[in-house]
Amino acid sequence: MKKTVLAIDSFKGCLSSEEVENCAAEEIRRLFPTCQTVCLPVADGGEGILDTLVHITNGKFIYTEVHDPLMRLQTVRYGILGDTQTVVIEMAEASGLPLLTPEERNPMKTTSFGTGELIRDALKRGYRKFLIGIGGSATNDGGLGMLQALGAKLYNANGIELRQGGEAVCSTARIDISRLDKAIPEANFTVACDVRNPFCGKEGATHVFAPQKGATTSQVTALEEGMKRLSEIIRQTTGKSIASLPGSGAAGGMGGALYAFFDAKLVPGADLLLDAIHFDQQIKDADMVITGEGKADSQTLMGKIAERVLNRTLPLGIPTVLIAGRIDNETELRRAGFDTLVPITPKGMELEKAVCPDTARKNIRKVINTFFTNTLNNLNQPILY
């Protein structure tokens, strides 16, 4: 073992990408003191993309007051990259799931309004080039809250103006964009998506992600019907069809709204970040690459960081290990090309304990030790407790 590269996403709600990688790297260096261990903090469009891009470009942060998903005021940040022209906004900062307690999660109530306020603040400061990472949201409002923050008005079938919140998805009959911020047409928007899901449908924003954001079964049904109607209203308003557009369902439909109303370009956030950190050059002489995320399953193969890493290591024949707090759909993941799957959480450990940072660090060290000492020469076998 001469060189190992770690490119592991954050374990959301537990450890950052950098913390996960440092923990694993410490154990690898203990076992193989002469092995070069390279840590590359990564993100797929959600939490982490702001810090990573600002750091690697020697940029800066701007702090401002906006509303959280439940319309409570909070101070958050966005970044200006080292070129002094590009704004990077992380949706999770203003409208993210970690801003809410489990009891507060309800996509009928949450709104993307705060993310719109961040865009508005940057426009007022004269910036016109935007990179927006939209993963990790607490919302399923089709981006309507973001539009409201920038001047759009929503009306129901009776002509009554609607307030912020996911319920607007179920009631909107008309979107008035006549008062949308006049600087928007002058701006260029690139959206870093962490998934390729469409706006609506069985693989769309609501069915796949709304339950993770607190939606009940009846709410999923209502929101899905609302998203279908909303996609048609957006088509009538902008001339753009987003119902089945890959990535339009990211962040509860935020991807679709940015594409339709701002002419934004939707790109895989993971690839954007991997290019920025020169990942391909970093792995050329690597003996092994370790990637992963908090939970690995079939969604991992829909544009998440681990899949994008794998797409770059496979052609080079570099063994690629997937590490995660929990791993489901093992057959699919192995078929995709991962050499080894490494779940870090012992069987029977309750989730509440598993996501405790100290516990997670202990579990990471244990499985890294087990993997490198017992299975390094026996790939294609899972680590089991």
Side-chain angles (χ1 to χ4, degrees), residues 94-222:
S95 312
L97 200 60
L99 300 174
L100 305 178
T101 66
E103 294 74 26
E104 291 174 331
R105 297 177 182 179
N106 182 349
M108 282 291 191
K109 302 297 182 183
T110 52
T111 174
S112 57
F113 193 85
T115 298
E117 290 178 302
L118 290 178
I119 296 173
R120 186 180 66 193
D121 187 83
L123 288 171
K124 285 183 177 179
R125 295 174 189 261
Y127 294 102
R128 295 294 183 267
K129 186 176 181 181
F130 288 80
L131 172 59
I132 305 178
I134 61 173
S137 76
T139 59
N140 200 111
D141 70 349
L144 293 177
M146 177 268 298
L147 293 172
Q148 288 173 303
L150 288 159
K153 302 292 184 180
L154 313 178
Y155 298 95
N156 67 14
N158 297 318
I160 298 174
E161 185 176 352
L162 300 172
R163 301 183 65 181
Q164 299 84 11
E167 289 174 325
V169 170
C170 305
S171 305
T172 296
R174 182 170 68 90
I175 303 174
D176 178 4
I177 58 173
S178 63
R179 284 170 282 186
L180 207 58
D181 195 305
K182 301 304 180 184
I184 291 174
E186 304 170 0
N188 175 274
F189 293 86
T190 298
V191 180
C193 299
D194 61 344
V195 295
R196 294 193 291 267
N197 301 73
F199 199 77
C200 45
K202 289 185 178 180
E203 295 298 324
T206 304
H207 278 298
V208 176
F209 301 112
Q212 302 171 14
K213 302 174 184 182
T216 63
T217 302
S218 61
Q219 287 175 335
V220 167
T221 300

Side-chain angles (χ1 to χ4, degrees), residues 335-371:
R335 190 181 297 124
F338 291 106
D339 291 279
T340 304
L341 309 179
V342 185
I344 74 160
T345 306
K347 289 182 178 180
M349 179 176 285
E350 295 182 358
L351 178 62
E352 185 177 355
K353 181 178 180 181
V355 298
C356 174
D358 287 342
T359 301
R361 290 188 183 94
K362 179 181 177 181
N363 289 337
I364 291 170
R365 292 189 181 97
K366 181 177 179 181
V367 298
I368 289 293
N369 182 289
T370 301
F371 171 69

